[in-house]
Amino acid sequence: MISQKMKRLQFALAVFSLAVSVSASAQNFPNKLIKIVVPFGAGGVADLTVRMVAQEMAQSMKQPIIIENRPGAGGIVAANSVASATPDGYTLLLMSNGTAVSANLFKLKLPYDTLADFVPISTLGYFDLAILVNKNLPVKTVAELIGYAKANPGKLSIGTINRGSTQNLAAELFTSMAGIDALIVPYKGSPEVLTATTTGEVNASVEILSPALPQIKAGGFNAIAVTSAKRFVGLPNVPTVAESGLPNYQATSWNALAAPAGTPRPVIDRINKEVKAALAKPEIKARLLALGIVAQGGTPESTKQLLAADIAKWGDVITKAKILQQ
């Protein structure tokens, strides 16, 4: 019969062997192809962002990186495939503020725990949103928009993409904080929202800057504010909502890389280092800025804090707006 002392020794040796194996694997990382699963279709802003960064990382790490687009179901399919993957750094997830939204909209159906089953690695960039108004609306500022809505209760219409999206929730947050009665009109996609704003089908809209920038610069409609904490460097004359009368208002879209929980910290740190190096390149910053994206990396800790804060923030907005959980 094996003594208790011998059992403890065998257990200790097994733990030591596993630790040595994990350490060796982490030290050799990467030595094969890396896959990044993206919960959006190819060609979108998030997809283009991660492809730019991945290309730089692949060259630096001397290993191929492929992008696997798995859109649909609020990002659940893509996230679940990564949550259940081997935690070795070779399967990563492109997270976004949409991940935080889905944690609230689909929390009764999620096959994973958004905070417990992933290790956020670093943010890639932040997407400013803007409040856009039809050129014929007698409004040039946020204060005037709020004044117009209060003088015409129930008549102001604000277009966004589908209900429960970041744009839609940003509009809900705006109307709630401004204390106005407005009709928020959901559309299938950004092109429809922008067309409706241009033609006057809606008075205003909340949309990410990337698809709106060409029409803003061409004068198709007026951008009266951005929803982020700071002014967008590509539109320095457009103020933030916060500096325009709603000091605590902020709504920002972002994306980040994450790995399955249990991924060794040395692997996380290596990927974090490579992401930051890619984002620091002037040409990458310039290309992302042209898409309306501010390149910015972060630590694993700050990225997790961002995710947790957005889960709480958008959960409150969803509850107040009485958006049914799916």
Side-chain angles (χ1 to χ4, degrees):
M1 182 177 293
I2 302 176
S3 67
Q4 286 296 113
K5 184 176 181 180
M6 181 61 70
K7 287 182 179 180
R8 287 196 294 270
L9 177 60
Q10 289 177 336
F11 177 77
L13 288 173
V15 171
F16 176 76
S17 298
L18 177 61
V20 170
S21 175
V22 169
S23 176
S25 176
Q27 288 177 0
N28 294 329
F29 180 87
N31 56 25
K32 61 180 181 180
L33 179 147
I34 297 171
K35 178 174 69 176
I36 301 177
V37 182
V38 177
F40 307 106
V45 179
D47 177 71
L48 293 174
T49 300
V50 74
R51 287 179 187 275
M52 286 186 203
V53 175
Q55 184 176 21
E56 297 295 325
M57 291 172 61
Q59 292 177 359
S60 176
M61 295 192 289
K62 297 180 173 55
Q63 292 294 338
I65 299 178
I66 63 168
I67 307 299
E68 180 180 301
N69 297 94
R70 301 191 70 174
I76 295 175
V77 174
N80 192 45
S81 70
V82 176
S84 58
T86 303
D88 54 10
Y90 291 100
T91 303
L92 306 176
L93 174 68
L94 181 72
M95 273 188 170
S96 71
N97 53 294
T99 308
V101 171
S102 291
N104 291 288
L105 284 179
F106 303 100
K107 66 181 179 181
L108 299 178
K109 294 183 178 180
L110 288 182
Y112 52 82
D113 184 312
T114 305
L115 287 174
D117 292 340
F118 300 97
V119 181
I121 299 171
S122 172
T123 50
L124 302 182
Y126 291 79
F127 306 66
D128 283 358
L129 282 71
I131 296 180
L132 312 169
V133 297
N134 178 265
K135 292 176 67 175
N136 295 322
L137 193 72
V139 162
K140 300 296 182 184
T141 66
V142 167
E144 290 179 354
L145 182 65
I146 294 173
Y148 177 88
K150 289 184 175 180
N152 301 275
K155 293 184 179 180
L156 177 68
S157 55
I158 303 175
T160 72
I161 63 170
N162 56 291
R163 194 159 164 78
S165 65
T166 300
Q167 294 94 313
N168 182 260
L169 295 179
E172 292 281 3
L173 181 62
F174 176 77
T175 58
S176 175
M177 291 183 65
I180 59 176
D181 179 13
L183 176 64
I184 298 178
V185 184
Y187 287 86
K188 183 178 180 180
S190 296
E192 291 85 354
V193 172
L194 299 179
T195 297
T197 310
T198 303
T199 61
E201 185 175 306
V202 291
N203 303 128
S205 61
V206 177
E207 184 53 88
I208 60 173
L209 275 175
S210 179
L213 274 174
Q215 292 189 56
I216 291 174
K217 294 180 178 179
F221 37 65
N222 297 322
I224 62 171
V226 291
T227 65
S228 50
K230 298 179 180 179
R231 294 191 182 197
F232 175 61
V233 294
L235 297 171
N237 295 323
V238 178
T240 66
V241 174
E243 66 181 302
S244 302
L246 291 179
N248 295 317
Y249 182 92
Q250 183 180 344
T252 304
S253 187
W254 51 268
N255 55 33
L257 285 185
T263 302
R265 182 64 192 227
V267 172
I268 297 295
D269 289 341
R270 173 66 190 280
I271 300 172
N272 178 275
K273 177 183 176 182
E274 296 293 343
V275 168
K276 289 181 177 177
L279 294 174
K281 295 187 176 183
E283 61 272 26
I284 296 298
K285 286 186 175 182
R287 289 171 63 190
L288 290 175
L289 190 61
L291 293 174
I293 304 162
V294 178
Q296 184 177 329
T299 65
E301 290 75 21
S302 66
T303 307
K304 185 171 184 176
Q305 289 171 2
L306 174 64
L307 175 63
D310 263 16
I311 289 175
K313 176 178 182 174
W314 296 125
D316 287 342
V317 175
I318 288 168
T319 299
K320 289 177 181 178
K322 297 180 180 178
I323 298 175
L324 295 177
Q325 293 177 343
Q326 302 179 38

